[in-house]
Amino acid sequence: MRMRGLTDFDRPQTTSIVESAAHNFKVPIRDLRPRVLLQLHRPSFLEVASSKEVIRVAENEASLLRSAVDELEQKYEKPRSPVSISELRIRFLSPEDAHLIFGRIHYLRRVPPGARCLAGVHPATGLPVVAIAYEDSRWRSVRRALRGSFGIPQVKVIDVSRVHTLESSPKGAVSWILSRLLGSLRRLKMPEAILSTAVDSTLGFQGISYRAAGWRHAVTVEPRPYTYVDGIYASAGYLKFHYGTADIAQLCKLLGSRFSYSDPSLRGDTLIFARTTEKGNRPPLKVSAITRRWVKPDLVNGGQR
């Protein structure tokens, strides 16, 4: 059976394949699902994919994920008993651990250049059971929209660009580490800022942990295609850092067949959740929208029209 129409995770066959691979390799479905979905959106893959090839992709991704998790747990020893929120200790991640967690375990598999990485660690083993990466926002249109949503011109915007929890993390770990980040920023006595994060609804994320931490939906971004270099997913931030631009038309000219992008009609909106650093946590005045035509109709995609 051809898989061209099975790019949504709620389709039974795709769901079954991911669940089976997760079970066989003993990895969480929540971690495997977005890795597989990013591969399914590759245009070159959708042209030829069969159910057997989707199984191959799911098993390959599950194997890579299992290997990275094993390496992290072997380094720190997997905890023998559950840890509670009150027992977690906060620390900055080493570059090596940041690479392991965000470069190999996290579905985006990139450590944001220049990002600072915080972790909540197990008190006995030091295992980072929850981790985040944050940086000054690089997304100009989102910065502008957030300032409009909250009615605060010229305010600094800090982007929480990566979040990851291990299966051994306690319930509420994401809310806990976000509150620790907020506390550390307040202790610096910096001027009021906006914390933001992007939630990709196409990959099944809903922003539940952010809502629980008091963050609000502040901006809706029209779907941007997933972008790939040499068949590997590359975020807009990565593209801008390494190639000087995230513009799809420019990248097609610059990289030729090495660059490709997904069909934007297959994506749902990106939701920007945010909160202010002030203690009152003022709510947004409105939910702003960013609409943009990302792809021109005559553009060559990965060497194919």
Side-chain angles (χ1 to χ4, degrees):
M1 179 180 177
R2 310 310 288 178
M3 299 294 290
R4 186 177 179 85
L6 292 176
T7 54
D8 295 326
F9 185 66
D10 58 358
R11 301 297 178 91
Q13 189 169 7
T14 311
T15 302
S16 176
I17 289 171
V18 173
E19 288 178 347
S20 177
H23 174 77
N24 292 339
F25 287 86
K26 295 181 174 59
V27 296
I29 294 174
R30 58 165 195 180
D31 291 343
L32 181 59
R33 177 184 60 196
R35 296 169 72 109
V36 174
L37 285 180
L38 278 177
Q39 295 300 318
L40 292 186
H41 277 272
R42 282 184 296 146
S44 58
F45 185 83
L46 288 174
E47 290 291 339
V48 300
S50 66
S51 57
K52 288 184 179 180
E53 289 168 278
V54 176
I55 291 171
R56 179 186 59 78
V57 168
E59 291 182 344
N60 180 63
E61 291 296 330
S63 176
L64 293 172
L65 180 58
R66 181 71 265 164
S67 175
V69 172
D70 284 347
E71 186 173 331
L72 182 66
E73 291 181 342
Q74 287 169 9
K75 178 178 179 180
Y76 287 101
E77 296 185 9
K78 186 176 181 178
R80 297 181 180 179
S81 58
V83 61
S84 68
I85 284 285
S86 61
E87 294 176 301
L88 291 179
R89 299 292 178 264
I90 195 78
R91 69 170 174 82
F92 282 100
L93 279 181
S94 68
E96 294 78 14
D97 285 349
H99 171 72
L100 191 52
I101 293 172
F102 296 124
R104 292 179 57 194
I105 297 176
H106 192 276
Y107 71 94
L108 292 178
R109 283 179 280 190
R110 307 276 190 192
V111 182
R116 291 147 285 184
C117 302
L118 277 179
V121 305
H122 192 284
T125 67
L127 176 69
V129 298
V130 57
I132 62 172
Y134 64 98
E135 58 189 315
D136 291 348
S137 175
R138 304 170 186 266
W139 203 344
R140 184 170 55 185
S141 58
V142 168
R143 293 198 307 268
R144 184 167 56 246
L146 283 170
R147 289 163 181 159
S149 292
F150 284 92
I152 316 174
Q154 305 304 319
V155 70
K156 183 184 184 70
V157 178
I158 299 171
D159 182 34
V160 177
S161 52
R162 299 286 188 278
V163 177
H164 194 268
T165 58
L166 296 182
E167 276 193 297
S168 56
S169 67
K171 185 178 180 179
V174 173
S175 295
W176 176 86
I177 200 168
L178 290 174
S179 71
R180 293 301 181 275
L181 171 61
L182 182 62
S184 68
L185 294 175
R186 286 175 178 167
R187 284 192 294 274
L188 292 174
K189 296 183 178 180
M190 61 181 292
E192 181 181 12
I194 295 173
L195 293 174
S196 71
T197 195
V199 173
D200 188 341
S201 62
T202 306
L203 300 184
F205 299 115
Q206 300 174 324
I208 294 173
S209 296
Y210 295 99
R211 294 181 194 272
W215 294 44
R216 314 286 184 90
H217 175 206
V219 179
T220 299
V221 184
E222 192 172 283
R224 171 188 167 91
Y226 294 121
T227 45
Y228 305 84
V229 176
D230 298 326
I232 300 173
Y233 172 75
S235 68
Y238 174 88
L239 293 168
K240 193 165 186 178
F241 182 83
H242 287 276
Y243 301 105
T245 181
D247 182 87
I248 289 174
Q250 292 183 30
L251 288 162
C252 285
K253 293 179 181 178
L254 180 66
L255 298 177
S257 61
R258 294 182 58 205
F259 178 77
S260 61
Y261 56 87
S262 69
D263 181 348
S265 68
L266 297 178
R267 285 201 64 179
D269 291 334
T270 297
L271 309 179
I272 306 298
F273 283 80
R275 66 154 296 153
T276 61
T277 55
E278 66 173 10
K279 290 188 176 181
N281 186 23
R282 71 172 81 179
L285 303 174
K286 61 179 180 178
V287 176
S288 300
I290 298 175
T291 59
R292 180 175 176 181
R293 188 174 185 178
W294 297 102
V295 180
K296 297 178 181 179
D298 60 344
L299 206 57
V300 176
N301 184 5
Q304 299 180 9
R305 288 195 181 274

